[in-house]
């Protein structure tokens, strides 16, 4: 039972580069989320999705885009990387009953 | 909007002793959930304990228990018989009761268990 799988685990980007953080879950959860965690802080919501084809902004969406073409996958896209996007990114999913599962995180550094 | 406050950025405790981490929150909701998550250096987010706001009884999970004061909007975590493996960041989090809701996290408390 893999749960929530995030790739890559680490990445260094140059300013202005683009990349996609992958997230996949195998629990058939409708709800999926992307959070970012800055050093010494709690997690903040970037985007979330309540089902395939439906996405919505969270607290800190600027500089990011998401898509949800399938129930399993919820990729996060950074189009023009900036140093302010240096952070640890967590994907999560949940069921209607509230069972919440986090991925293991992606550490992104923008230089 | 909901907010979660953890007023203790860092704490330390001797092994086998008891420590209490504080959390307060602000919400106009009547039904919600509260959580404590542990984040060790591996970065994994590990659920420690969960409390439903409609339950008056405080949640307990082995050495971990909470003191939930709904009127005061307080949700403290007590760790008994502290172990070296308890060293981690601890985050208090709030979630509305409706399905598909996201967490609102506090800033965290870094706990060090000393041998």
């Amino acid at each position: 039972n893999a749960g929530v799988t995030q790739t890559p685990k680490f990445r260094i980007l140059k300013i202005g580069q683009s990349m996609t953080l992958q997230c996949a879950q195998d629990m058939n959860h409708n709800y999926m989320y992307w959070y970012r965690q800055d050093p010494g802080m709690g997690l903040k919501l970037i985007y979330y999705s309540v089902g395939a084809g439906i996405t919505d902004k969270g607290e800190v969406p600027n500089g990011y885009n998401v898509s949800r073409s399938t129930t399993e996958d919820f990729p996060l896209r950074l189009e023009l990387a900036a140093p302010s996007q240096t952070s640890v990114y967590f994907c999560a999913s949940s069921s209607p009953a509230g069972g919440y599962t986090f991925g293991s995180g992606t550490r992104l550094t923008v230089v | 909007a909901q907010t979660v406050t953890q007023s203790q950025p860092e704490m330390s405790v001797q092994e086998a002793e008891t420590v209490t981490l504080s959390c307060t929150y602000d919400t106009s909701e009547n039904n919600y959930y509260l959580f404590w998550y542990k984040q060790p250096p591996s970065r994994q987010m590990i659920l420690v304990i969960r409390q439903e706001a409609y339950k008056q009884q405080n949640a307990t999970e082995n050495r971990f228990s909470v003191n939930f004061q709904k009127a005061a909007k307080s949700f403290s975590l007590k760790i008994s018989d502290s172990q070296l493996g308890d060293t981690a960041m601890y985050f208090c989090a709030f979630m509305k009761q409706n399905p598909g809701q996201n967490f609102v996290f506090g800033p965290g408390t870094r706990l060090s268990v000393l041998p």
Side-chain angles (χ1 to χ4, degrees):
Chain A
N1 186 5
V4 176
T5 302
Q6 288 184 239
T7 56
K9 294 191 182 302
F10 303 92
R11 183 72 186 268
I12 298 175
L13 279 182
K14 294 185 178 179
I15 294 172
Q17 286 186 320
S18 301
M19 77 163 296
T20 299
L21 281 65
Q22 301 292 344
C23 176
Q25 53 94 6
D26 61 358
M27 297 168 285
N28 202 32
H29 284 170
N30 285 333
Y31 309 112
M32 295 188 74
Y33 316 83
W34 275 105
Y35 292 87
R36 61 177 284 173
Q37 183 181 26
D38 297 330
M41 303 292 289
L43 282 66
K44 292 188 177 181
L45 184 68
I46 306 171
Y47 269 95
Y48 66 99
S49 169
V50 300
I54 306 170
T55 63
D56 210 343
K57 295 178 180 179
E59 183 183 356
V60 289
N62 292 342
Y64 306 95
N65 279 299
V66 293
S67 60
R68 184 92 183 273
S69 57
T70 66
T71 299
E72 293 77 20
D73 300 301
F74 190 41
L76 178 71
R77 178 82 176 163
L78 284 71
E79 290 294 347
L80 292 171
S84 62
Q85 294 177 305
T86 293
S87 192
V88 178
Y89 292 83
F90 286 94
C91 180
S93 70
S94 71
S95 66
Y100 222 94
T101 303
F102 283 94
S104 57
T106 296
R107 181 180 294 278
L108 176 67
T109 303
V110 182
V111 297
Chain B
Q2 287 73 34
T3 59
V4 177
T5 302
Q6 293 177 251
S7 59
Q8 305 151 315
E10 294 188 25
M11 293 192 72
S12 62
V13 63
Q14 292 294 134
E15 195 175 6
E17 297 292 309
T18 295
V19 64
T20 298
L21 308 184
S22 301
C23 172
T24 59
Y25 59 95
D26 188 23
T27 184
S28 59
E29 303 284 329
N30 189 47
N31 296 315
Y32 49 88
Y33 301 108
L34 294 164
F35 303 79
W36 279 98
Y37 272 88
K38 170 185 176 181
Q39 188 180 44
S42 67
R43 292 202 313 259
Q44 187 68 35
M45 295 294 287
I46 301 168
L47 178 64
V48 175
I49 202 163
R50 160 180 159 151
Q51 174 82 42
E52 289 87 350
Y54 66 86
K55 290 185 177 179
Q56 292 185 335
Q57 186 173 5
N58 289 325
T60 299
E61 287 288 341
N62 300 316
R63 298 182 295 107
F64 300 89
S65 62
V66 297
N67 183 4
F68 173 49
Q69 301 291 327
K70 189 173 183 179
K73 297 180 181 175
S74 171
F75 183 61
S76 61
L77 174 70
K78 185 171 81 171
I79 306 174
S80 304
D81 186 24
S82 297
Q83 301 175 359
L84 296 178
D86 296 334
T87 293
M89 283 288 289
Y90 286 82
F91 293 99
C92 179
F94 170 99
M95 181 189 289
K96 293 180 184 179
Q97 192 178 35
N98 298 331
Q101 291 296 320
N102 59 280
F103 287 106
V104 175
F105 284 90
T109 296
R110 183 175 302 280
L111 177 67
S112 299
V113 180
L114 307 174

